[in-house]
Amino acid sequence: MASSPHKHMDVIHAVQEYVNKMLKEPGMKVLVLDKETAGIVSMVYTQSEILQKEVFLFEKIDNVSKEKMLHMKGVYFIRPTQENINLITDELKDPKYSKYHFFFSNTVNKVFLDDIAKADEQDVVAEIQEYFGDFFAINPDTFSLNMQSILSKRSLGWAMNINRLVDGVFSSMLALKKKPIIRYSSNSEATRYLSEKIAERMSRERDLFDFRKTNESLLLILDRKDDPITPLLHQWTYQAMIHELLTISNNRVSLANAPNIKEDLKEVVLSLDHDAFYRENLYKNFGDLGASIKDLVDQYQDKANTNANIQTIDDMKKFIENYPNFLSFSKTVSKHVALMDELSRIVSVNNLMDISEIQQELACNHDHSSVYSRIIEIINDPKYSEKDKLVVVMLYSIRYEDGHVWELKENLTRVGLSPKQISLIDSLKSYAGAQLREGDLLGTKNIFSFAKSVVKRGLQGVSNIYTQHKPLLHEILDNILKNKLKEQSYPFLSPTNTKERPQDIIIFMIGGITFEEALTIYTFNSLNVGVCRVVLGGTNVLNCNQFLEDISETLRK
Amino acid sequence: MVWSDRTSEFGNLAEAIRRKQEQNGVQLSQRKLSPANQKSQFSYAAAKISRGVFETSEKLTKLTNMAKNTKLFMDSSAQIEELTFIIKQDIQSLNRELSALDQYVKSSRQPNKQTGDHSETIVGFLNTKLISATKDFKDILEVRTESLKQQQEKKDSFAGYSSNTYSTTIDNPSDNILYKYDEEEDYDSSAQEHSILMPTELTTTNYTASRLRAAENISSTIHQLEGIFSQLANLVSQQGEVIERIDANMDDTLLNIGRGHDSLVTTLYNISSNRSLIIKIFLVLIIFSIIFIVFFA
């Protein structure tokens, strides 16, 4: 909320506030959620925290048990979809709970309201509210809509899910209490379409935006295709790595595939609020992370030792008091150690160091001859996995679109990749070829910037070759900060004459975001405290596998 | 964080739907009133009256049906009379209650003007409802009177015929006497016939008397209704006055707002001019004090 500065533009906090408000009603409650809101709530609240608020039961809305619980109040947090409304109206005709409190995660149209009113024959509906928590808050400055395969308008999911997309972005603006001006990426049909839809929605729901004007704010809608490199690269920061190699879904990570894993660690939960170690090391790179883990283990050993020597009654008392803490601490330690163990195992099995080096080389440098021979070597070396080979060639095809892509494909076929896998390279080109991209992804569109990047590299050198790549978002943010974002590339939806630099920025990327971009946002925000604050949203959080899958989806028309 | 509360909108919708159902004559399932949802005395009374009016209008429709269906030989005048009586009582009691409510509204101190207006509107609404019910009642009674009249006419025509037959039957025996004087049995039978006819005549007079009574009853009811009407008309005219007053108040408010705005503007002007004056005064003071300190201290 705007009142406390560090909570300003914080999506996790916003959703938490919504949930708090919902459960403020005293008395015994049942919290009823649908599939999506269950995810939304579980991202920001643990079950035990909700139980403290007199919630005695969790229900899925599609649960059909007809056991009457007239001593309970039903608190519904659901999306306003036709299905849910149907379920509600059926329920109201034969109510299970004494009172019904409906909280919709988005605007409810008149027809739905009418339906509910008609069904409410017994006068059990106590309130109907719209709480705009219609997105999955991942980090304080990052949210996603958990929608797969909507890379472009041609994708399969697009037509079916456009409303969900608009709902999600719309609710994020309201949750952050912003009435932004809208800009979009000019070379993309999808961004323009979405921004028009949102503007339409804003003018229709004018009353909701009737709050005291806060800071100058901006909604920038980008398209994944402007930067297809980032999701292909291997990541080396903690959160990004876990997602890349193990996939985080709704804050949960499955370790089921790891060898010799203990039963209780098969699925671990990574919550920013409850895991201090995770929170602190979210953006640390793999090397630093090793050191942090070592510290953590040392701490653990210390504690274990103090626990071991109990001499007096006083010690015992202390031990008993500290034991629950100690237990949860030990759980955290074992969780992170297991995670690290699994990550390093995957890294060494797949020789990801080498792969990442060549990936970074391709992403950042323009030196064809040496890179080409290295790629040929990698393709012919059986110790690298097929996927990594494919990704390297894809990166090559982005960097050198007119280069020897054809020969490399031949090579890939020869080492045994299926034609379907190889066709992804063409799909990528038709999705995000150089002609289709907006902005200067490779820094080669004009000589000036090319020279600048070369000089910069020559002068400063590179601190870490594995993390030298900066996503396109970085440049966009820089330009926003200098208020020099080009109007031809990122036009305003409606002509405005404000030339002020926006202070609160919501960036939404159609096609999904990556944790590397989340890191960029995080660094940007911490460098510009009090100047500018950015929240990044996307249809999904991508990792390489997901991105490849989405690209193959675009092929089917 | 933004949220919007649509509960009131929902409440209005639900209310509208309920009203529609009520108009369609759907009997509402007895609605439970939770203790949390306790209404004020006023709304209870208003609800009671409204329910009363509704029930009365139901009875009225029943009465209409009866009054229209009445045939010559299938007369249900007793029922009709009873129903008329009941309705009359109902309307009177409702009227009493309504005027009591009106008194209550006028006498009781309302928390604010809007609630007062609201209550008055409700009373007005109930008034109009009651008036329409009463009017219906009056119409029905008129219909009833009309039908009674018609029946009477019919009966008269029938009665004319029957008196003819009667005279012939009166004549007949004499014929019989003349014609078949010695046939005793026949004479007896005709005498019997005569004796049977006499009670019939009696009942007919009885019947007409009751009819007369009914008609008188009805006219007296109509008379009473007239009284009620004038009372109600009085109330309605009062309502109209209130509405006019509201209109006048609105105009006044507009005027006042305009005046307020004007005075605010002048105040702003005053303040801004005063500011410069104050600054000038202070300047003079400071210069004076400097001169004082430098030259006299």
Side-chain angles (χ1 to χ4, degrees):
Chain A
M1 287 182 90
S3 51
S4 50
H6 60 286
K7 295 294 184 198
H8 163 67
M9 291 279 283
D10 180 340
V11 280
I12 290 188
H13 181 72
V15 180
Q16 277 173 347
E17 276 294 300
Y18 278 138
V19 177
N20 279 344
K21 274 181 86 69
M22 257 176 248
L23 303 177
K24 223 169 47 189
E25 177 84 16
M28 297 201 284
K29 292 178 287 268
V30 179
L31 184 60
V32 186
L33 301 165
D34 68 15
K35 218 185 220 163
E36 280 199 68
T37 51
I40 291 170
V41 173
S42 73
M43 298 280 282
V44 297
Y45 255 113
T46 59
Q47 194 159 350
S48 50
E49 271 178 315
I50 291 182
L51 287 177
Q52 281 168 11
K53 293 180 188 289
E54 291 185 278
V55 173
F56 287 78
L57 197 66
F58 294 86
E59 280 273 21
K60 283 266 160 92
I61 189 168
D62 42 11
N63 188 336
V64 284
S65 90
K66 275 270 118 193
E67 195 191 339
K68 298 255 180 198
M69 285 174 273
L70 289 173
H71 51 292
M72 302 277 234
K73 289 175 189 161
V75 175
Y76 279 65
F77 179 48
I78 45 177
R79 301 204 65 248
T81 58
Q82 185 67 55
E83 284 166 45
N84 285 345
I85 299 289
N86 291 347
L87 287 168
I88 287 177
T89 48
D90 287 349
E91 168 78 40
L92 285 178
K93 281 176 189 147
D94 181 19
K96 243 195 290 190
Y97 311 117
S98 65
K99 280 277 164 208
Y100 285 77
H101 299 255
F102 290 116
F103 298 94
F104 289 101
S105 65
N106 223 305
T107 50
V108 188
N109 65 32
K110 261 258 157 53
V111 183
F112 286 166
L113 221 53
D114 205 61
D115 285 349
I116 301 174
K118 267 183 200 145
D120 180 26
E121 280 162 1
Q122 315 203 17
D123 212 8
V124 284
V125 176
E127 56 181 330
I128 291 187
Q129 307 252 25
E130 290 164 354
Y131 280 9
F132 299 93
D134 211 0
F135 48 84
F136 297 80
I138 298 167
N139 293 347
D141 45 19
T142 315
F143 68 92
S144 129
L145 301 181
N146 275 12
M147 306 166 73
Q148 253 124 50
S149 45
I150 23 180
L151 280 184
S152 74
K153 275 188 92 167
R154 286 198 343 237
S155 285
L156 204 62
W158 179 267
M160 270 153 57
N161 291 321
I162 175 71
N163 287 332
R164 175 73 184 95
L165 197 59
V166 177
D167 278 356
V169 181
F170 183 74
S171 76
S172 74
M173 298 188 316
L174 285 167
L176 298 170
K177 210 174 177 187
K178 296 291 163 224
K179 188 183 178 181
I181 45 176
I182 303 174
R183 296 179 80 164
Y184 59 95
S185 169
S186 75
N187 214 345
S188 153
E189 232 184 308
T191 57
R192 191 187 162 83
Y193 184 73
L194 179 63
S195 50
E196 275 170 0
K197 281 273 174 195
I198 286 169
E200 193 189 305
R201 185 79 179 271
M202 277 171 80
S203 69
R204 195 156 29 125
E205 309 286 350
R206 218 171 298 115
D207 299 346
L208 289 174
F209 289 92
D210 192 18
F211 37 76
R212 194 164 49 86
K213 196 164 167 30
T214 48
N215 297 337
E216 203 65 46
S217 55
L218 168 73
L219 171 66
L220 179 61
I221 299 178
L222 300 175
D223 196 327
R224 181 76 265 166
K225 75 175 182 187
D226 293 343
D227 180 7
I229 290 183
T230 316
L232 290 174
L233 294 179
H234 184 70
Q235 302 297 326
W236 292 101
T237 55
Y238 195 33
Q239 193 180 24
M241 246 178 122
I242 297 172
H243 189 56
E244 177 72 34
L245 302 176
L246 300 168
T247 310
I248 306 175
S249 63
N250 284 2
N251 281 354
R252 266 161 231 276
V253 179
S254 165
L255 284 175
N257 291 328
N260 323 322
I261 192 81
K262 276 196 282 177
E263 196 55 45
D264 59 334
L265 287 173
K266 282 246 159 96
E267 192 183 65
V268 297
V269 175
L270 294 172
S271 153
L272 283 176
D273 272 350
H274 302 96
D275 189 340
F277 180 80
Y278 182 58
R279 188 169 58 230
E280 276 156 29
N281 295 290
L282 204 56
Y283 299 118
K284 286 230 175 104
N285 72 38
F286 200 49
D288 299 340
L289 203 61
S292 313
I293 282 275
K294 192 171 176 309
D295 284 350
L296 191 72
V297 172
D298 285 348
Q299 252 180 45
Y300 178 68
Q301 265 174 346
D302 274 0
K303 278 198 183 176
N305 281 337
T306 51
N307 283 341
N309 95 73
I310 296 172
Q311 305 266 330
T312 61
I313 301 281
D314 212 31
D315 281 350
M316 275 187 214
K317 199 178 131 204
K318 259 184 208 151
F319 171 74
I320 294 296
E321 271 168 7
N322 289 331
Y323 191 67
N325 276 337
F326 175 71
L327 212 62
S328 72
F329 186 66
S330 89
K331 239 179 217 163
T332 318
V333 173
S334 57
K335 178 170 83 184
H336 286 288
V337 171
L339 274 175
M340 273 306 270
D341 183 45
E342 176 62 9
L343 289 181
S344 56
R345 186 187 69 86
I346 296 175
V347 167
S348 61
V349 164
N350 293 320
N351 297 295
L352 288 178
M353 293 293 218
D354 300 348
I355 295 290
S356 180
E357 194 183 332
I358 184 91
Q359 281 182 351
Q360 295 287 338
E361 192 70 22
L362 278 166
C364 305
N365 295 355
H366 203 88
D367 182 6
H368 184 257
S369 54
S370 67
V371 162
Y372 185 70
S373 56
R374 184 91 184 86
I375 292 174
I376 296 282
E377 253 173 61
I378 284 179
I379 289 176
N380 292 322
D381 195 329
K383 74 176 183 186
Y384 302 111
S385 76
E386 286 186 347
K387 189 202 106 191
D388 289 331
K389 291 176 187 171
L390 182 66
V391 169
V392 168
V393 177
M394 282 170 105
L395 283 169
Y396 176 88
S397 77
I398 294 169
R399 164 70 62 177
Y400 307 103
E401 209 172 302
D402 318 314
H404 307 288
V405 181
W406 197 77
E407 283 94 327
L408 289 175
K409 279 199 232 167
E410 286 287 281
N411 270 310
L412 284 176
T413 325
R414 218 179 41 239
V415 296
L417 268 76
S418 69
K420 201 179 154 207
Q421 280 171 304
I422 292 171
S423 72
L424 280 178
I425 298 169
D426 292 325
S427 309
L428 179 65
K429 192 182 165 190
S430 68
Y431 165 62
Q435 294 306 311
L436 302 168
R437 291 196 296 264
E438 185 61 63
D440 196 3
L441 175 65
L442 303 168
T444 50
K445 276 201 177 160
N446 65 52
I447 294 173
F448 184 68
S449 70
F450 181 60
K452 200 167 87 181
S453 73
V454 169
V455 169
K456 213 169 160 190
R457 283 172 55 81
L459 283 178
Q460 296 178 337
V462 180
S463 58
N464 184 344
I465 52 164
Y466 299 115
T467 56
Q468 54 181 312
H469 170 256
K470 292 252 187 308
L472 181 70
L473 194 63
H474 185 258
E475 199 189 310
I476 292 173
L477 286 175
D478 257 3
N479 282 331
I480 291 176
L481 194 62
K482 292 178 196 146
N483 208 10
K484 279 203 307 200
L485 197 62
K486 275 197 209 126
E487 243 193 281
Q488 300 103 284
S489 304
Y490 302 98
F492 292 94
L493 186 67
S494 50
T496 41
N497 41 16
T498 46
K499 286 281 171 266
E500 258 176 83
R501 190 191 61 215
Q503 280 157 327
D504 298 317
I505 303 162
I506 303 172
I507 294 179
F508 188 82
M509 203 176 281
I510 297 175
I513 51 174
T514 61
F515 277 117
E516 187 180 347
E517 279 149 348
L519 168 65
T520 310
I521 296 289
Y522 172 77
T523 357
F524 180 84
N525 282 339
S526 45
L527 281 177
N528 296 296
V529 176
V531 183
C532 210
R533 170 122 181 127
V534 187
V535 168
L536 177 69
T539 46
N540 195 3
V541 183
L542 293 171
N543 57 13
C544 189
N545 290 329
Q546 183 63 47
F547 187 57
L548 293 182
E549 210 172 280
D550 285 359
I551 285 179
S552 69
E553 291 281 338
T554 59
L555 203 59
R556 299 188 217 149
K557 281 170 200 165
Chain B
M1 249 180 76
V2 178
W3 64 90
S4 79
D5 190 347
R6 313 249 329 233
T7 317
S8 58
E9 196 182 329
F10 173 77
N12 292 341
L13 255 175
E15 196 54 40
I17 287 169
R18 215 158 279 150
R19 211 171 294 143
K20 215 185 278 169
Q21 282 179 346
E22 211 168 305
Q23 274 173 6
N24 290 345
V26 176
Q27 194 74 37
L28 284 173
S29 56
Q30 199 60 41
R31 291 154 53 73
K32 281 182 285 178
L33 282 170
S34 67
N37 198 9
Q38 265 182 359
K39 292 176 177 176
S40 69
Q41 202 184 339
F42 171 76
S43 13
Y44 263 131
K48 199 175 148 207
I49 291 176
S50 146
R51 213 175 303 131
V53 172
F54 177 63
E55 277 162 11
T56 314
S57 55
E58 265 195 340
K59 278 179 202 153
L60 274 175
T61 44
K62 218 160 118 193
L63 183 65
T64 327
N65 285 337
M66 272 192 193
K68 279 181 183 156
N69 280 339
T70 314
K71 305 231 167 64
L72 185 50
F73 299 110
M74 223 182 71
D75 198 62
S76 47
S77 60
Q79 282 174 35
I80 289 179
E81 235 164 85
E82 198 186 319
L83 206 56
T84 316
F85 182 71
I86 291 171
I87 291 173
K88 198 173 77 187
Q89 293 258 312
D90 275 359
I91 287 180
Q92 269 169 353
S93 72
L94 279 176
N95 196 34
R96 233 181 353 260
E97 272 173 44
L98 193 57
S99 49
L101 190 68
D102 197 33
Q103 282 299 317
Y104 171 75
V105 168
K106 272 176 190 143
S107 62
S108 69
R109 197 172 271 281
Q110 296 293 343
N112 57 36
K113 200 171 174 315
Q114 270 167 13
T115 357
D117 285 353
H118 173 70
S119 332
E120 268 177 43
T121 326
I122 286 178
V123 172
F125 176 66
L126 288 175
N127 251 335
T128 41
K129 260 176 126 177
L130 186 57
I131 286 176
S132 69
T134 322
K135 207 170 174 188
D136 284 348
F137 185 41
K138 204 191 94 187
D139 288 349
I140 292 163
L141 283 182
E142 272 167 7
V143 168
R144 174 74 183 142
T145 332
E146 199 64 30
S147 70
L148 272 185
K149 217 185 268 169
Q150 276 176 10
Q151 276 183 29
Q152 200 57 50
E153 273 168 21
K154 273 183 200 163
K155 214 150 274 166
D156 281 349
S157 60
F158 281 124
Y161 176 69
S162 72
S163 67
N164 279 341
T165 48
Y166 172 69
S167 62
T168 48
T169 40
I170 290 291
D171 288 346
N172 262 339
S174 60
D175 282 351
N176 280 349
I177 295 162
L178 286 175
Y179 204 58
K180 298 169 178 175
Y181 190 65
D182 36 5
E183 286 175 18
E184 284 258 299
E185 280 173 27
D186 266 353
Y187 176 71
D188 275 359
S189 70
S190 60
Q192 257 172 358
E193 207 172 51
H194 193 98
S195 61
I196 291 163
L197 273 167
M198 282 308 280
T200 335
E201 196 187 20
L202 205 72
T203 42
T204 327
T205 35
N206 265 349
Y207 185 71
T208 25
S210 79
R211 283 300 163 168
L212 193 68
R213 229 180 305 128
E216 270 170 3
N217 235 339
I218 287 167
S219 74
S220 75
T221 315
I222 290 178
H223 188 71
Q224 279 172 9
L225 280 180
E226 248 173 34
I228 292 170
F229 256 111
S230 62
Q231 267 181 47
L232 289 179
N234 206 6
L235 279 176
V236 169
S237 70
Q238 278 176 11
Q239 290 289 325
E241 228 170 74
V242 169
I243 289 166
E244 264 171 37
R245 238 184 287 151
I246 289 171
D247 192 37
N249 280 347
M250 283 303 290
D251 285 345
D252 283 358
T253 320
L254 204 67
L255 208 73
N256 284 338
I257 288 171
R259 254 188 243 155
H261 182 254
D262 285 351
S263 60
L264 276 180
V265 169
T266 46
T267 319
L268 181 70
Y269 180 75
N270 281 343
I271 288 172
S272 48
S273 58
N274 276 355
R275 206 181 286 147
S276 60
L277 190 69
I278 289 167
I279 290 169
K280 275 177 208 156
I281 290 170
F282 266 94
L283 258 177
V284 169
L285 269 176
I286 289 162
I287 290 168
F288 182 76
S289 58
I290 286 170
I291 289 168
F292 182 82
I293 290 161
V294 170
F295 293 102
F296 301 98

